[in-house]
């Protein structure tokens, strides 16, 4: 353990961006650059050209090796690299007393997630998971109603994120199993499983059942690719996953995620059934321009009565959630506090994804 920065005596916070891809350039970078007394000092990418291009925009130092960025005095890094690198890179920075905001998933195995939790406990560093959708107004409104007891004790929570044509960068690391750890289940599923746990406060799982599917036919026509280029038609991982999770406290969780599905447009739907009624959120996460719901809304149904329709502003700005996430990390660093999204939260999501993949491979319920 080399050092811990004494930030109480340091007004300026130095940030490093690890991975110079789309999400770093268009979401994280503008969010942190908008915060007073926060500066981006280094851009790291194994592709020196990409690192240099982004560094030129910010005035930061471009780095293409860990030895280079290890020489830059940083307080925190934003980790935006392929999934298979998350464990080693997060460990590298945590061991040096540098705080980390890690894009989901935390790791690709439950064992690595546990190891990172132990490191944070030993160093006192912040490891904030990039569950950015928790910062959305619609999610906060939904959670507030649940916590107020509006529908009583939660019995069932169904979470869905389904896209019409939205495989992220076909042929890239997203669709190569060795680099991603899986397909849509580890991608969109990370966000939706976190929402399930966040909204229900469900405890330990006692049984998981899942199936995963891939369509052999893929065409570029009509494809919605907001993350970059179409690289090839080679997709090694599943494009659809459906699962069920029974929790020890009686909550039943249901999951349906898909990159390419027979739907009118992209959407997120979260339905919670409680003892006294139900709440359903219909919206869209992320940056897709093919949303199915023109007016995001919430439906509240008191048992046996007509549903109450509660609209939200059209086209909520996804960058607002990234800005709030950045503010949260900076506040934790300055106040020397742990984030509202705990390391254990990230670990639980990885554990459930691993159990669901095990069930899908075996064709059995796993416990």
């Amino acid at each position: 353990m080399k050092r811990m920065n004494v930030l109480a005596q340091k007004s300026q916070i130095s940030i490093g961006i690890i991975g110079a891809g789309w999400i770093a350039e268009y979401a994280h970078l503008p969010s942190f650059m908008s915060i007073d007394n926060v500066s981006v000092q280094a851009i790291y990418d194994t592709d020196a050209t990409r690192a240099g291009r982004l560094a030129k925009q910010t005035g930061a130092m471009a780095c293409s090796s860990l030895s280079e960025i290890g020489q830059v005095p940083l307080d925190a890094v934003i980790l935006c690299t392929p999934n298979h690198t998350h464990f080693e890179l997060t460990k590298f920075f945590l061991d040096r007393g540098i705080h980390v905001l890690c894009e989901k998933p935390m790791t690709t195995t439950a064992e690595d997630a546990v190891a990172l939790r132990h490191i944070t406990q030993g160093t006192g560093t912040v490891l904030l998971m990039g569950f950015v959708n928790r910062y959305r107004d619609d999610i906060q409104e939904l959670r507030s109603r649940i916590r107020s007891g509006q529908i009583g004790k939660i019995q069932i929570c169904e979470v869905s994120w389904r896209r019409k044509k939205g495989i992220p960068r076909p042929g890239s690391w997203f669709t190569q199993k060795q680099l991603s750890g899986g397909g849509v289940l580890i991608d969109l599923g990370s966000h939706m499983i976190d929402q399930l746990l966040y909204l229900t406060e469900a405890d330990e799982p006692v049984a998981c059942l899942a199936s995963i599917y891939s369509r052999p036919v893929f065409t570029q026509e009509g494809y919605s690719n907001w993350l970059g280029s179409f690289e090839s038609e080679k997709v090694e991982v599943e494009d659809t996953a459906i699962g069920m999770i029974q929790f020890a406290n009686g909550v039943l969780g249901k999951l349906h995620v898909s990159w390419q599905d027979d739907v009118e447009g992209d959407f997120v739907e979260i339905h919670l059934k409680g003892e006294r009624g139900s709440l359903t959120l219909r919206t869209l996460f992320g940056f897709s321009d093919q949303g199915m719901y023109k007016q995001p809304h919430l439906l509240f149904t008191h048992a046996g009565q007509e549903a109450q329709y509660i609209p939200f502003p059209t086209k909520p700005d996804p960058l607002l959630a990234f800005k709030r996430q950045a503010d949260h990390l900076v506040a934790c660093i300055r106040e020397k506090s742990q984030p509202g999204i705990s390391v254990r939260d990230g670990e639980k999501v990885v554990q459930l994804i691993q159990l669901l993949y095990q069930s899908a491979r075996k064709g059995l319920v796993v416990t």
Side-chain angles (χ1 to χ4, degrees), residues 162-350:
R162 299 165 67 184
R163 293 176 179 164
K164 186 175 182 178
K165 290 185 178 180
I167 299 175
R169 288 172 52 202
S172 72
W173 69 263
F174 278 103
T175 61
Q176 297 178 46
K177 188 173 182 179
Q178 186 176 359
L179 304 183
S180 63
V184 71
L185 178 55
I186 202 169
D187 181 35
L188 304 188
S190 290
H191 285 298
M192 300 316 297
I193 291 172
D194 176 64
Q195 288 297 320
L196 191 161
L197 297 174
Y198 178 57
L199 295 170
T200 65
E201 299 181 351
D203 52 14
E204 293 301 310
V206 294
C208 294
L209 176 64
S211 292
I212 57 177
Y213 305 93
S214 295
R215 278 184 168 170
V217 178
F218 175 80
T219 59
Q220 189 175 357
E221 183 181 356
Y223 178 73
S224 174
N225 193 351
W226 57 95
L227 289 176
S229 63
F230 174 93
E231 299 183 22
S232 80
E233 293 185 4
K234 186 177 181 181
V235 177
E236 300 176 352
V237 293
E238 81 282 353
D239 60 43
T240 298
I242 298 172
M244 297 180 65
I245 307 163
Q246 182 68 58
F247 293 94
N249 64 351
V251 173
L252 176 65
K254 300 175 70 177
L255 171 75
H256 187 166
V257 286
S258 183
W259 280 336
Q260 55 173 356
D261 210 342
D262 298 322
V263 290
E264 294 179 13
D266 302 350
F267 69 91
V268 164
E269 184 166 301
I270 299 174
H271 173 73
L272 297 113
K273 178 182 179 294
E275 292 176 322
R276 295 201 295 270
S278 65
L279 285 162
T280 302
L281 174 65
R282 292 171 176 164
T283 187
L284 180 59
F285 295 166
F287 297 88
S288 169
D289 59 358
Q290 296 189 9
M292 186 168 79
Y293 298 122
K294 304 306 178 186
Q295 179 77 54
H297 59 274
L298 188 66
L299 295 174
F300 165 57
T301 306
H302 193 276
Q305 299 182 13
E306 292 295 319
Q308 177 186 354
Y309 178 87
I310 305 158
F312 290 100
T314 57
K315 295 184 180 179
D317 181 5
L319 290 179
L320 178 59
F322 279 91
K323 176 61 167 62
R324 290 172 177 170
Q325 178 178 247
D327 288 337
H328 184 43
L329 177 66
V330 170
C332 288
I333 295 171
R334 287 186 169 144
E335 297 165 10
K336 296 185 178 179
S337 61
Q338 286 298 311
I341 302 174
S342 70
V343 179
R344 180 68 179 128
D345 291 336
E347 181 186 331
K348 285 180 180 179
V349 170
V350 174

Side-chain angles (χ1 to χ4, degrees), residues 15-287:
I15 299 289
I17 302 293
I18 313 302
W22 192 97
I23 201 70
E25 181 174 1
Y26 293 101
H28 291 294
L29 193 58
S31 296
F32 281 94
M33 291 184 71
S34 70
I35 305 174
D36 291 340
N37 296 319
V38 172
S39 61
V40 177
Q41 293 294 316
I43 306 289
Y44 165 86
D45 199 288
T46 54
D47 183 330
T49 301
R50 290 209 314 179
R53 183 182 62 80
L54 207 56
K56 188 175 181 180
Q57 296 179 25
T58 62
M61 177 179 174
C63 306
S64 57
S65 69
L66 290 179
S67 60
E68 282 184 290
I69 197 166
Q71 301 305 310
V72 182
L74 298 173
D75 297 308
V77 296
I78 318 306
L79 191 60
C80 314
T81 56
N83 297 347
H84 76 291
T85 67
H86 286 189
F87 173 72
E88 291 297 341
L89 287 174
T90 300
K91 182 178 184 301
F92 175 86
F93 291 106
L94 292 179
D95 280 343
R96 288 157 177 76
I98 297 172
H99 308 288
V100 178
L101 165 56
C102 180
E103 272 290 348
K104 57 76 195 166
M106 182 172 168
T107 57
T108 56
T109 71
E111 294 76 16
D112 284 347
V114 171
L116 289 183
R117 173 165 54 84
H118 290 160
I119 292 172
T120 61
Q121 291 170 346
T123 61
T125 43
V126 170
L127 171 52
L128 174 61
M129 275 308 305
F131 294 138
V132 68
N133 296 303
R134 287 203 195 187
Y135 302 90
R136 293 171 56 100
D137 289 334
D138 47 10
I139 291 298
Q140 287 303 310
E141 174 67 19
L142 178 58
R143 189 167 190 261
S144 176
R145 288 172 178 268
I146 294 167
R147 290 174 67 86
S148 72
Q150 188 173 49
I151 61 173
K153 182 181 178 181
I154 302 300
Q155 299 170 329
I156 301 171
C157 179
E158 302 177 64
V159 294
S160 301
W161 187 348
R162 299 165 67 184
R163 293 176 179 164
K164 186 175 182 178
K165 290 185 178 180
I167 299 175
R169 288 172 52 202
S172 72
W173 69 263
F174 278 103
T175 61
Q176 297 178 46
K177 188 173 182 179
Q178 186 176 359
L179 304 183
S180 63
V184 71
L185 178 55
I186 202 169
D187 181 35
L188 304 188
S190 290
H191 285 298
M192 300 316 297
I193 291 172
D194 176 64
Q195 288 297 320
L196 191 161
L197 297 174
Y198 178 57
L199 295 170
T200 65
E201 299 181 351
D203 52 14
E204 293 301 310
V206 294
C208 294
L209 176 64
S211 292
I212 57 177
Y213 305 93
S214 295
R215 278 184 168 170
V217 178
F218 175 80
T219 59
Q220 189 175 357
E221 183 181 356
Y223 178 73
S224 174
N225 193 351
W226 57 95
L227 289 176
S229 63
F230 174 93
E231 299 183 22
S232 80
E233 293 185 4
K234 186 177 181 181
V235 177
E236 300 176 352
V237 293
E238 81 282 353
D239 60 43
T240 298
I242 298 172
M244 297 180 65
I245 307 163
Q246 182 68 58
F247 293 94
N249 64 351
V251 173
L252 176 65
K254 300 175 70 177
L255 171 75
H256 187 166
V257 286
S258 183
W259 280 336
Q260 55 173 356
D261 210 342
D262 298 322
V263 290
E264 294 179 13
D266 302 350
F267 69 91
V268 164
E269 184 166 301
I270 299 174
H271 173 73
L272 297 113
K273 178 182 179 294
E275 292 176 322
R276 295 201 295 270
S278 65
L279 285 162
T280 302
L281 174 65
R282 292 171 176 164
T283 187
L284 180 59
F285 295 166
F287 297 88

